[in-house]
C-alpha cells in the first residue's frame, strides 16, 4: 500500500506530460541537471575550503573569556532618584 504500482507511475507520467507539455520537459530536465552539477561543484569547493582553513590540531584554541553582566536593578534606581522634574 505504501509503494506505487506501475499503473500509478504511468498515470503520473501522463498527467505531467499533459500539464507541462512534451516540449518543455527536456528543457526542464536539462536545467535540473545543470543546477545539480553547479550545486555539487559548489559543495566540493566549500569542503576543500573548510579543510584548508581548518586549524591544525597542534595549535591550542584560545580560552573563552567570561562575560560580565551589566544588569541594572530597577528598584535600586528608584530609591536614590534625584533627577529634577519640570515644574
Amino acid at each position: 500500500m505504501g509503494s506505487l504500482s506501475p499503473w500509478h507511475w504511468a498515470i503520473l507520467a501522463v498527467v505531467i506530460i499533459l500539464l507541462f507539455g512534451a516540449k518543455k520537459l527536456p528543457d526542464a530536465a536539462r536545467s535540473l541537471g545543470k543546477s545539480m552539477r553547479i550545486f555539487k561543484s559548489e559543495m566540493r569547493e566549500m569542503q576543500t575550503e573548510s579543510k584548508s582553513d581548518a586549524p591544525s590540531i597542534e595549535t591550542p584554541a584560545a580560552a573563552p573569556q567570561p562575560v560580565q553582566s551589566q544588569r541594572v536593578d530597577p528598584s535600586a534606581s528608584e530609591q536614590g532618584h534625584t533627577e529634577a522634574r519640570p515644574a
Side-chain angles (χ1 to χ4, degrees):
M1 182 167 201
S3 64
L4 296 175
S5 69
W7 284 107
H8 291 120
W9 286 109
I11 292 171
L12 185 64
V14 168
V15 168
I16 290 173
I17 290 172
L18 288 175
L19 285 176
F20 296 107
K23 291 183 180 181
K24 291 184 182 180
L25 287 177
D27 293 334
R30 241 180 262 117
S31 64
L32 180 64
K34 190 175 185 180
S35 299
M36 289 301 295
R37 281 191 298 272
I38 293 170
F39 179 74
K40 286 180 183 179
S41 68
E42 291 294 326
M43 290 299 294
R44 277 190 225 115
E45 184 177 326
M46 286 176 57
Q47 287 175 351
T48 56
E49 284 179 4
S50 66
K51 287 180 183 177
S52 65
D53 291 342
S56 64
I57 297 173
E58 297 169 0
T59 58
Q65 300 293 325
V67 177
Q68 294 182 357
S69 175
Q70 296 182 0
R71 186 174 173 181
V72 177
D73 188 16
S75 61
S77 65
E78 290 175 7
Q79 292 173 353
H81 193 286
T82 58
E83 278 186 26
R85 292 190 178 164

